[in-house]
Amino acid sequence: MKYSKCKEIDILVSTLIQQGWSFKWGGKHGKVKHPAVGSNITVPKTPSDFRAYLNFRSDVRRLLRTLAIFY
């Protein structure tokens, strides 16, 4: 399944899904959801910003950091 036109975002989402995250299409963008917390992160389907991958990756890292605090 193709999650984004950006190759790096597509690979990152595939990796997250292999780790147990879930993916759902919603409107124009997809959403990945962490299995334990249930927080959603929006996946840009056609990113126009050259920093879209970096921003998406930082969103994932930020969520994982907050999870480390609560465990």
Side-chain angles (χ1 to χ4, degrees):
M1 176 185 250
K2 190 110 167 128
Y3 303 104
S4 177
K5 291 194 177 206
C6 177
K7 178 178 65 172
E8 292 86 6
I9 293 175
D10 197 44
I11 291 170
L12 181 56
V13 172
S14 297
T15 304
L16 291 174
I17 290 173
Q18 289 175 356
Q19 294 176 358
W21 294 51
S22 61
F23 179 83
K24 183 177 179 181
W25 286 109
K28 295 182 180 182
H29 302 287
K31 296 182 187 301
V32 288
K33 185 176 182 180
H34 190 273
V37 176
S39 296
N40 291 328
I41 299 175
T42 303
V43 179
K45 184 174 181 180
T46 56
S48 59
D49 185 12
F50 70 96
R51 297 172 312 216
Y53 169 69
L54 298 175
N55 292 335
F56 179 67
R57 187 180 69 179
S58 70
D59 289 342
V60 171
R61 286 181 175 176
R62 191 175 301 118
L63 177 64
L64 292 175
R65 264 195 311 250
T66 58
L67 287 175
I69 293 171
F70 292 119
Y71 281 128

